[in-house]
Amino acid sequence: MTTPSVDPVADLAEAVAGAARAVPGVLDLHAGPYGEVAVHAAGRRIDGVRVRSGMVEVHVVLRADVDLLAVADRVRDVALAACAGPGTDPAPGPDPVVEVVVEDIRIPAAGA
């Protein structure tokens, strides 16, 4: 028997963040200009993800040498999959909207 999570919203944010970071072309997640885009939980803070009723926002930093729209679409797809994944609480709702915000674009270091 599995123990239910103490904070299913934070768990969902962690799943979305991990999935988004794994998308090729994503350099990192971004907490917004004032650090306001984050989910706070006991002992942890998940930057770059905001979970609201019916919506999940993912704020990303992308490589400058990729198709930005294609990468943003892929981030949306993996975030939706994370919302529907096993063990996730439907905190944003049964059919969440996922918004992807490109906060920054960076030129990768040589050889990266």
Side-chain angles (χ1 to χ4, degrees):
M1 183 169 118
T2 22
T3 306
S5 173
V6 174
D7 192 340
V9 172
D11 292 345
L12 174 64
E14 291 257 353
V16 169
R21 281 191 179 104
V23 173
V26 174
L27 293 174
D28 204 357
L29 299 184
H30 195 288
Y34 303 105
E36 73 279 10
V37 181
V39 170
H40 300 272
R44 60 188 168 154
R45 173 185 160 111
I46 303 99
D47 287 337
V49 178
R50 180 181 289 152
V51 178
R52 298 183 188 179
S53 178
M55 182 195 318
V56 175
E57 291 177 33
V58 186
H59 293 241
V60 293
V61 178
L62 301 183
R63 294 174 60 111
D65 60 350
V66 298
D67 180 338
L68 302 177
L69 292 177
V71 173
D73 282 345
R74 183 69 183 133
V75 170
R76 181 177 296 105
D77 292 344
V78 300
L80 278 169
C83 289
T88 58
D89 185 311
D95 296 314
V97 172
V98 174
E99 289 188 0
V100 178
V101 178
V102 178
E103 289 277 0
D104 200 1
I105 300 166
R106 294 188 190 146
I107 298 171

